[in-house]
């Protein structure tokens, strides 16, 4: 089904893109390209200087042939070290070039970002059908739901083009078929992948998989189906942490999105489980997260602690999602300290990010699923369409 982004985003896109080629025809992120890179380290001792110094030593004190050979060997070793440092510099440059996305650019008002926003970024919702079911006809045919978080810098805004691969995506698994809708819904979820590149997402998450079993023969695990895309913020209101989101795609919620538990603007209370305690019997994983000692100490004696973004950077982190029927109001409530310091309101921050996201996603393609997969650097032709009805 083909849908479009919100009309306001379209009007902005029509007014700002007159006389310029569409972003879909341009190189992703070329409009906001930031010069990056690192210089290779300078040699500790230039070769000409070494030769001159060596000649002076020989003329003044008459070193032996053996000493000359040792010094030449030392010079050779030094040059090899310089070459290694240069190679490391090239690697560092490549890593820096992927540290920020094509669509990210710095903001001028970074000092006004509210402290209650711990992290922000792009959020994608997917589900996977049960074994052998590529296109579920109802919720009961869904095996699991998934949330992909692609963080961006807190002081960044979104420009045009795909978000870019920073190799920092997280895949979070919601074992239930749907997302928690109210405070009575409390789902224990977990982090399946961290620091994932888009290539890893394609090879290890998005695609379908056929495998052999001794009893049932060939089994087919269907490809992941996109359900929605938008922006998110992990916020702190003191006592609790929240995962708040605003959807960009689809433009209007369909039957599928509503059945899954999505809202145009939604939020969950999110808490991280202390792995030093035994997990509930129905939520055990083969292995727990490998937290460093200092992170474990932050839990103190608490079984559950308000989620910090760094908790989600460890595979097998378990977190509790509790539905918030009131929407995002509580999650994006401005804190008194930020209000006194004249910081921006969290709600305005997330709404502005969604407007930027709507504009860039509109320019990627005419089809919602194609927009999502283009953002993830995947060929939409290999994956399911974004459904709005079962």
């Amino acid at each position: 089904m083909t849908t479009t982004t919100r009309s306001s985003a379209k009007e902005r896109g029509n007014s700002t893109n007159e006389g310029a080629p569409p972003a879909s025809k341009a190189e992703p992120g070329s409009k906001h390209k930031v010069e990056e890179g690192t210089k290779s380290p300078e040699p500790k001792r230039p070769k000409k200087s070494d030769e001159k110094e060596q000649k002076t030593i020989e003329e003044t004190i008459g070193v032996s042939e053996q000493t000359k050979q040792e010094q030449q060997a030392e010079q050779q070793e030094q040059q090899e070290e310089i070459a290694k440092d240069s190679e490391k510099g090239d690697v560092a440059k490549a890593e820096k070039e992927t540290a920020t996305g094509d669509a990210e650019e710095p903001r001028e008002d970074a000092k006004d970002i509210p402290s209650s926003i711990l992290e922000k970024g792009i959020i994608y919702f997917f589900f996977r059908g049960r074994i052998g079911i590529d296109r579920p006809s109802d919720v009961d045919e869904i095996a699991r739901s998934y949330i992909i978080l692609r963080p961006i810098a807190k002081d960044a805004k979104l420009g045009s083009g795909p978000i870019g691969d920073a190799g920092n995506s997280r895949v979070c698994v919601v074992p239930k078929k749907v997302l928690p809708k109210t405070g009575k819904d409390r789902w224990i979820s977990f982090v399946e992948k961290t620091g994932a590149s888009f290539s890893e997402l394609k090879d290890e998450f998005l695609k379908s998989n056929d495998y052999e079993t001794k009893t049932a023969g060939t089994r087919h695990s269907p490809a992941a189906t996109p359900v929605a895309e938008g922006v998110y913020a992990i916020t702190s209101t003191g006592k609790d942490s929240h995962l708040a989101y605003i959807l960009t795609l689809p433009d209007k919620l369909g039957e599928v999105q509503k059945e899954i538990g999505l809202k145009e603007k939604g939020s969950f209370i999110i808490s991280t489980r202390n792995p030093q305690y035994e997990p509930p019997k129905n939520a055990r994983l083969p292995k727990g997260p490998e937290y460093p000692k200092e992170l474990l100490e932050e839990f103190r004696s608490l079984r559950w602690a308000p989620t910090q973004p760094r908790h989600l950077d460890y595979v097998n982190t378990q977190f509790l999602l509790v539905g918030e029927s009131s929407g995002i109001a509580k999650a994006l409530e401005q804190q008194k300290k930020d209000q006194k310091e004249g910081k921006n309101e969290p709600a305005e921050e997330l709404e502005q990010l969604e407007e930027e996201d709507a504009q860039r996603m509109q320019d990627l393609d005419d089809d919602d699923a194609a927009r999502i997969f283009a953002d993830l650097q995947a060929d939409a032709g290999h994956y399911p369409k974004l459904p709005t009805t079962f």
Side-chain angles (χ1 to χ4, degrees):
M1 175 174 177
T2 301
T3 59
T4 60
T5 51
R6 295 178 175 81
S7 58
S8 61
K10 288 183 178 179
E11 292 172 1
R12 288 195 303 277
N14 294 335
S15 62
T16 57
N17 291 336
E18 292 182 0
S24 59
K25 301 293 184 180
E27 179 184 355
S30 60
K31 182 178 178 181
H32 304 290
K33 197 72 175 180
V34 180
E35 293 184 4
E36 300 179 345
T38 58
K39 295 182 179 179
S40 299
E42 293 294 330
K44 299 177 182 177
R45 186 190 299 173
K47 186 176 180 181
K48 289 185 178 180
S49 177
D50 289 341
E51 293 175 349
K52 183 177 180 181
E53 181 180 349
Q54 177 68 20
K55 182 177 181 181
T56 302
I57 294 173
E58 291 175 11
E59 290 176 345
T60 54
I61 63 174
V63 295
S64 65
E65 185 65 26
Q66 181 178 359
T67 303
K68 287 191 292 182
Q69 291 176 355
E70 291 175 351
Q71 290 177 342
Q72 289 173 356
E74 182 180 352
Q75 290 174 359
Q76 179 64 29
E77 183 179 349
Q78 185 183 52
Q79 294 300 322
E80 290 176 357
E81 288 297 325
I82 291 172
K84 289 180 181 179
D85 289 343
S86 178
E87 183 178 352
K88 290 179 181 178
D90 291 339
V91 172
K93 179 179 178 181
E95 290 176 347
K96 186 176 180 181
E97 288 174 348
T98 60
T100 57
D102 294 338
E104 291 183 58
E105 59 180 35
R107 289 172 40 170
E108 296 179 357
D109 63 339
K111 61 181 179 61
D112 296 326
I113 298 173
S115 62
S116 60
I117 293 182
L118 308 179
E119 180 180 282
K120 68 180 185 180
I122 308 300
I123 189 169
Y124 309 88
F125 294 93
F126 285 82
F127 67 66
R128 195 183 303 278
R130 293 168 59 185
I131 296 297
I133 302 176
D134 287 300
R135 291 175 175 79
S137 59
D138 57 43
V139 170
D140 290 337
E141 293 185 347
I142 294 174
R144 285 179 169 182
S145 294
Y146 300 86
I147 299 173
I148 295 179
L149 301 177
R150 196 304 200 175
I152 66 173
K154 282 174 41 175
D155 61 352
K157 63 179 180 179
L158 297 174
S160 62
I163 188 61
D165 185 3
N168 65 346
S169 297
R170 310 184 188 104
V171 177
C172 301
V173 180
V174 183
K176 298 284 187 178
K177 303 174 187 294
V178 299
L179 300 169
K181 300 177 182 179
T182 70
K184 295 180 180 179
D185 299 330
R186 306 166 68 87
W187 305 162
I188 295 181
S189 307
F190 67 94
V191 178
E192 185 175 68
K193 294 184 183 300
T194 63
S197 66
F198 288 166
S199 177
E200 289 175 311
L201 291 182
K202 286 186 291 184
D203 295 339
E204 301 174 15
F205 169 68
L206 293 175
K207 71 176 185 179
S208 61
N209 179 40
D210 293 333
Y211 58 96
E212 296 292 330
T213 64
K214 293 182 178 180
T215 57
T218 302
R219 306 296 298 274
H220 173 71
S221 177
T225 297
V227 183
E229 180 272 350
V231 297
Y232 78 92
I234 297 175
T235 67
S236 172
T237 55
K239 181 181 178 182
D240 297 313
S241 290
H242 305 259
L243 173 60
Y245 65 87
I246 301 179
L247 295 185
T248 299
L249 302 174
D251 183 44
K252 293 183 179 180
L253 298 184
E255 174 192 8
V256 172
Q257 286 71 35
K258 293 177 181 178
E259 288 289 325
I260 291 295
L262 288 169
K263 305 172 184 177
E264 289 187 358
K265 298 179 179 181
S267 178
F268 313 102
I269 297 175
I270 181 170
S271 305
T272 305
R273 192 184 73 79
N274 184 345
Q276 297 174 101
Y277 290 95
E278 284 292 321
K281 292 182 179 180
N282 61 346
R284 292 182 177 177
L285 298 176
K287 185 179 180 182
E290 296 181 353
Y291 291 154
K293 181 180 178 181
E294 58 271 18
L295 186 54
L296 285 172
E297 290 175 346
E298 292 179 6
F299 285 93
R300 303 189 302 278
S301 60
L302 298 174
R303 291 180 177 272
W304 298 88
T307 294
Q308 298 292 317
R310 62 182 178 276
H311 296 167
L312 305 179
D313 289 331
Y314 294 87
V315 172
N316 291 334
T317 286
Q318 289 183 294
F319 56 92
L320 185 69
L321 288 179
V322 180
E324 291 192 279
S325 55
S326 60
I328 63 175
K330 190 172 183 179
L332 299 179
E333 184 179 33
Q334 189 175 34
Q335 302 301 292
K336 291 182 179 179
K337 179 182 177 182
D338 289 339
Q339 189 174 15
K340 290 181 180 179
E341 295 178 357
K343 304 285 188 181
N344 296 336
E345 293 190 12
E348 294 178 353
E349 284 283 315
L350 196 58
E351 288 169 359
Q352 177 61 38
L353 187 65
E354 192 281 324
E355 289 180 6
E356 296 165 0
D357 187 54
Q359 180 61 63
R360 74 178 190 88
M361 292 300 282
Q362 174 183 282
D363 295 336
L364 294 184
D365 204 281
D366 294 329
D367 175 80
D368 282 349
R371 288 168 175 153
I372 291 174
F373 288 116
D375 212 30
L376 296 174
Q377 299 179 9
D379 184 353
H382 297 160
Y383 304 99
K385 293 286 188 180
L386 187 153
T388 54
T389 59
F390 280 117

